[in-house]
Amino acid sequence: MNAVAIVLVEVLIVIGLSRLVGLGCRAIKQPLVIGEIIAGIMLGPSLLGLIAPSLATTLFPAETIPYLFVLSQIGLIFFMFLIGLELNPKYLSGQLEIAVLVSHVSILAPFSLGTLLAVVLYPQLSNGDVSFTAFALFLGAAMSITAFPVLARIITENNLQGTRLGTLALTCAAVDDVTAWCVLALAIAVARTGTINGAIPTIIYSLIYIGLMVTVGRWFLKRVARYYQRVGKMSQLLLAGIYAGVVASALITELIGIHFIFGAFLLGAVMPKDEGLVREIAEKTEDFVLIFLLPIFFAYSGLRTQVGLLNRPELWLLCAGVVAVAISGKYFGTYIAARVSGIENREASALGWLMNTRGLTELIVLNIGLNLGVISPLLFTMLVIMALVTTFMTSPLLEWTYPKRLIRLDTVEPETEIGLKAEVTYRVLVPVANVDTQKGLIQLATAIALNNSQSAVVHPLSLVELEEDYAFQSMPAEADRLMDKRRQQLEQLITTLEPPDIRAFVQPLVRVTNDVARATEQITSQNKIDLMLVGWHRPAFSTNRLGGRVGQILSMAPVDVGVYVDRGQSAIEKLLVAYSGNIHDDLALELALRMLVSSESRTLSILRVVQAGQTNSELSYELSGVMQNLSRKVRDRIDIQVQQSAEPITVAVEASTHVDLTIAGTSRAWGIERQTLGRYTDQLAIQCKSSLLITRRYSQVTSHLASVVAPSTDTDKSGV
């Protein structure tokens, strides 16, 4: 097999394993980048080379490594261009004075500690070919890095962009990013020339080039942006010109003597932040870079990571020292500066953990150092471990320091400005997957929730789902745009609800997440939801109507749930409850009674199907008491039917032909078994002629009739 064919096999393995391990990390609430770094290490001498050296040599022979190197460097060029492109000046507008102080202290503290650590590590982990100055500068720069893309993703996923902490963290990270890359450029210049004096020409050339890019380059790119606005689309010719500019800028900075990634980053940074232009460039570029080229970079880095070099206790102790210095310098530097700036304790601590994340950015720095020979393979491995540890710990420590319930309290929600929040005693949550098709679901929610006896609100919930760590949509500014767009769609839907006076009680919630089911569960708990209504859908790979994401929500939701199968009836006037006497049917009847009380035109039929010769069991004790307390004008609209049949589903389906909405609990009697959630049959959902609401009770303590059904003053208390 020739070298090109072997490289193609390597790429196939790299992409597949990166996605697999990355998804595993996402399952434990870690960034995808953690899995991709681990996948790269698994393919190298640390795992594959250790357990199957012959296979490792066959899959990754020495002659193919240069090919992987070239592909990985091309990936880095365009990834750094994307980072610069997504570095929006608006991130520098929030609390800038505090951010400058905090970010610079958060660089100075770990840089100083890293320089002191270099005194210990230089004699043991370096050689005479590298000057101490270059070694110390590089180690200090490696300790100072904050991964802006990973931090931005964490802020977006935790919906922190609307808080003071999120705004400050983004500003600090943006300032940190610019400063840290400048420090790294200095370290590279010193490493290549050997002394600071020798690096002065490189520094001067770099400043001249930066000045030209900020002035002439930005002027030219503004004309490109105006051309794009006039044409209204990104042509292949225009994109080719931009890509050529990225490569040319990278070549210039490489010739100057710093590194080609700086040229790519600089071009992206000076690009005018026209919303449409930036989005289209990012979307056209990032898929190939993130899916194909970056995993190759991780694999290339993994092939150079040799955990086996840490073969003595004292080396592991040094590695622990490297990790401790990196964490303490970044965290305490940020924390102390934030406290001095007047930031309260919890926010300062959370900011420290956010600034401590390193991710892929750290890996880029380390590979540069290893390529230049400034750091040894052993120190490279220690620093890769440090990058993994600091990135892995960010999300759990942030959640511990600043839980989501506190984030929610610190976030100003447009949807809570109506003023009902403090008074509401009944809340219905409606996860909306498709705004265009689920008007009926929200209309049903209002029919259940709203009445004259109890203050209530309906929350349509739309979740903007993120998929990739470094995707443009995960940047807070773009995520905010997507959320605003989704909120406007929900508000337009709300304006179509009838009657008009219910619209004020429908308040949309929009969030960003990477796990819809878990986010729905958390929002349910945080907002003290009484009932969740979800829409029926057919999963792509299953015939089970209540499987897939609906099944996940049903399994995880800590609240009573209704699943709505909409047959398109415009009115909800004639109700049917298929009652078999379990707690889920009790919920069905409670919701039906809520709708009955809220409208004088609605009627309710309660269908009891019993086997031949079976005793007619009554309603539950609690519901019997409720029915007794109903006013006569409500009781007169209730009809209880008892039928004998060996096929309850057939009877229920036949009865459904005469009503607008059938309500049934998860029960074997109706072909819906709660006990086998995710695998049960759904016969009634298929055959029911009317719209169908399937109810699942979470807690028997919850009552949906409190404050709704007042004790009757009628003299006739006849049973039903």
Side-chain angles (χ1 to χ4, degrees):
M1 189 181 293
N2 61 47
V4 175
I6 295 174
V7 170
L8 292 177
V9 172
E10 291 171 352
V11 169
L12 187 64
I13 294 171
V14 166
I15 293 175
L17 187 62
S18 295
R19 286 285 133 179
L20 184 63
V21 182
L23 290 174
C25 285
R26 290 287 290 273
I28 59 172
K29 308 306 170 192
Q30 287 297 323
L32 187 69
V33 64
I34 291 285
E36 292 178 325
I37 295 174
I38 292 173
I41 294 173
M42 289 170 63
L43 293 172
S46 300
L47 182 62
L48 184 61
L50 183 65
I51 63 176
S54 59
L55 178 61
T57 303
T58 302
L59 289 177
F60 295 95
E63 61 267 22
T64 64
I65 301 304
Y67 294 94
L68 294 179
F69 172 74
V70 171
L71 288 173
S72 69
Q73 300 310 293
I74 292 172
L76 280 189
I77 289 173
F78 283 95
F79 177 69
M80 290 302 298
F81 167 66
L82 287 173
I83 291 180
L85 188 69
E86 294 163 359
L87 189 62
N88 198 317
K90 71 180 295 183
Y91 297 145
L92 298 174
S93 61
Q95 308 172 72
L96 186 58
E97 292 182 1
I98 296 176
V100 169
L101 172 64
V102 172
S103 62
H104 284 156
V105 173
S106 76
I107 289 176
L108 183 61
F111 185 89
S112 301
L113 290 177
T115 304
L116 292 175
L117 183 64
V119 176
V120 178
L121 298 182
Y122 183 72
Q124 303 181 59
L125 303 180
S126 187
N127 56 63
D129 296 334
V130 179
S131 69
F132 175 77
T133 301
F135 182 85
L137 278 173
F138 218 95
L139 188 59
M143 295 291 179
S144 306
I145 289 292
T146 292
F148 179 79
V150 177
L151 180 142
R153 167 72 182 224
I154 291 172
I155 286 174
T156 304
E157 283 187 351
N158 287 276
N159 291 280
L160 277 167
Q161 62 268 34
T163 66
R164 183 175 71 161
L165 171 63
T167 304
L168 181 59
L170 281 171
T171 308
C172 287
V175 174
D176 190 295
D177 222 30
V178 174
T179 305
W181 288 120
C182 292
V183 172
L184 180 61
L186 174 63
I188 292 172
V190 172
R192 283 180 165 172
T193 59
T195 63
I196 292 182
N197 288 336
I200 290 177
T202 300
I203 295 171
I204 293 174
Y205 295 147
S206 300
L207 292 175
I208 292 172
Y209 182 62
I210 291 171
L212 287 172
M213 287 295 290
V214 170
T215 55
V216 178
R218 186 166 177 79
W219 170 82
F220 178 76
L221 290 172
K222 282 182 177 179
R223 294 178 67 89
V224 172
R226 284 197 291 270
Y227 171 78
Y228 170 82
Q229 292 169 351
R230 186 169 67 252
V231 175
K233 66 176 183 178
M234 177 66 65
S235 66
Q236 290 186 355
L237 180 61
L238 180 57
L239 189 61
I242 292 172
Y243 285 171
V246 173
V247 175
S249 184
L251 278 172
I252 291 171
T253 52
E254 180 70 20
L255 293 173
I256 285 173
I258 40 178
H259 199 273
F260 54 75
I261 64 170
F262 293 100
F265 174 80
L266 184 58
L267 183 68
V270 301
M271 179 76 70
K273 303 310 177 193
D274 175 86
E275 187 178 272
L277 176 64
V278 170
R279 183 183 310 111
E280 196 160 354
I281 294 174
E283 290 175 348
K284 287 180 179 294
T285 306
E286 66 186 11
D287 284 346
F288 185 68
V289 172
L290 300 182
I291 295 171
F292 187 86
L293 294 176
L294 271 188
I296 295 174
F297 170 73
F298 290 124
Y300 178 73
S301 300
L303 292 173
R304 310 170 86 190
T305 303
Q306 304 176 56
V307 178
L309 293 176
L310 298 169
N311 53 13
R312 300 194 308 274
E314 56 267 29
L315 292 179
W316 280 106
L317 189 61
L318 280 177
C319 182
V322 169
V323 174
V325 167
I327 294 172
S328 57
K330 203 69 175 176
Y331 173 77
F332 287 110
T334 303
Y335 176 81
I336 293 171
R339 293 291 286 146
V340 169
S341 300
I343 306 298
E344 64 97 18
N345 181 64
R346 186 185 297 276
E347 286 185 332
S349 183
L351 183 61
W353 295 128
L354 283 168
M355 295 296 288
N356 186 51
T357 190
R358 287 172 173 84
L360 173 58
T361 310
E362 181 73 17
L363 215 57
I364 295 172
V365 174
L366 300 183
N367 273 276
I368 293 173
L370 188 59
N371 290 337
L372 293 174
V374 179
I375 59 176
S376 64
L378 178 55
L379 182 56
F380 176 82
T381 299
M382 291 180 179
L383 292 171
V384 168
I385 292 173
M386 179 269 288
L388 279 170
V389 170
T390 54
T391 306
F392 190 91
M393 66 193 294
T394 299
S395 291
L397 286 175
L398 176 64
E399 174 64 24
W400 174 67
T401 305
Y402 201 179
K404 288 185 173 59
R405 58 182 176 81
L406 296 180
I407 293 175
R408 174 176 168 267
L409 293 175
D410 291 345
T411 304
V412 178
E413 292 280 4
E415 58 267 18
T416 61
E417 294 175 358
I418 296 177
L420 297 172
K421 187 171 182 179
E423 306 170 6
V424 172
T425 58
Y426 191 80
R427 294 178 181 272
V428 179
L429 184 70
V430 187
V432 178
N434 188 334
V435 176
D436 297 328
T437 62
Q438 293 186 301
K439 175 183 176 181
L441 182 63
I442 299 176
Q443 196 78 56
L444 173 64
T446 61
I448 293 173
L450 305 178
N451 55 67
N452 295 324
S453 304
Q454 183 183 30
S455 60
V457 66
V458 173
H459 291 299
L461 171 66
S462 183
L463 295 172
V464 178
E465 192 170 11
L466 302 181
E467 297 178 356
E468 301 295 339
D469 271 2
Y470 301 115
F472 179 66
Q473 67 166 356
S474 68
M475 292 294 107
E478 178 65 8
D480 283 342
R481 187 193 69 82
L482 293 173
M483 291 171 67
D484 288 341
K485 180 179 179 181
R486 195 72 60 87
R487 185 176 286 108
Q488 290 172 8
Q489 291 174 336
L490 287 175
E491 289 172 349
Q492 289 175 0
L493 174 60
I494 292 169
T495 61
T496 67
L497 298 178
E498 297 293 340
D501 57 358
I502 68 173
R503 298 169 188 171
F505 300 92
V506 183
Q507 302 176 357
L509 297 174
V510 182
R511 297 285 188 276
V512 169
T513 185
N514 64 353
D515 188 331
V516 169
R518 187 168 297 278
T520 304
E521 174 198 13
Q522 292 171 344
I523 291 168
T524 300
S525 300
Q526 293 167 1
N527 290 275
K528 299 180 180 179
I529 298 299
D530 298 284
L531 176 70
M532 183 192 302
L533 291 183
V534 296
W536 165 92
H537 77 292
R538 183 189 295 274
F541 300 104
S542 170
T543 58
N544 178 13
R545 270 71 170 175
L546 301 183
R549 185 162 289 167
V550 171
Q552 293 174 5
I553 293 174
L554 281 169
S555 300
M556 298 174 65
V559 69
D560 293 344
V561 177
V563 180
Y564 184 51
V565 183
D566 190 356
R567 304 292 190 206
Q569 281 92 339
S570 57
I572 310 177
E573 295 298 315
K574 297 179 180 179
L575 310 178
L576 170 68
V577 172
Y579 191 87
S580 63
N582 63 40
I583 59 172
H584 307 299
D585 288 342
D586 285 349
L587 172 61
L589 186 51
E590 286 184 24
L591 298 183
L593 290 175
R594 283 191 67 95
M595 287 190 280
L596 196 67
V597 169
S598 64
S599 173
E600 295 182 356
S601 62
R602 289 194 180 107
T603 60
L604 169 62
S605 297
I606 302 174
L607 175 64
R608 301 277 288 123
V609 182
V610 298
Q611 301 288 336
Q614 179 182 341
T615 303
N616 180 18
S617 59
E618 300 294 334
L619 303 178
S620 67
Y621 175 79
E622 292 79 6
L623 281 174
S624 295
V626 168
M627 301 281 273
Q628 292 290 338
N629 283 325
L630 292 172
S631 65
R632 176 177 290 279
K633 63 180 181 180
V634 174
R635 293 200 307 270
D636 286 346
R637 290 183 278 123
I638 299 175
D639 175 36
I640 297 182
Q641 306 170 14
V642 180
Q643 296 190 34
Q644 290 187 349
S645 175
E647 299 290 338
I649 297 177
T650 303
V651 176
V653 169
E654 175 61 28
S656 70
T657 60
H658 308 294
V659 299
D660 302 315
L661 176 65
T662 301
I663 313 176
T666 51
S667 165
R668 292 184 180 183
W670 316 119
I672 306 169
E673 300 183 32
R674 167 73 182 105
Q675 291 76 15
T676 56
L677 187 63
R679 294 182 289 117
Y680 52 70
T681 59
D682 52 2
Q683 188 174 347
L684 185 60
I686 299 171
Q687 298 180 5
C688 187
K689 305 303 181 184
S690 69
S691 295
L692 173 67
L693 180 64
I694 300 170
T695 57
R696 188 225 66 181
R697 170 145 264 165
Y698 174 76
S699 171
Q700 296 188 52
V701 177
T702 305
S703 173
H704 297 268
L705 295 175
S707 305
V708 175
V709 179
S712 174
T713 57
D714 297 340
T715 56
D716 182 2
K717 296 289 183 97
S718 58
V720 289

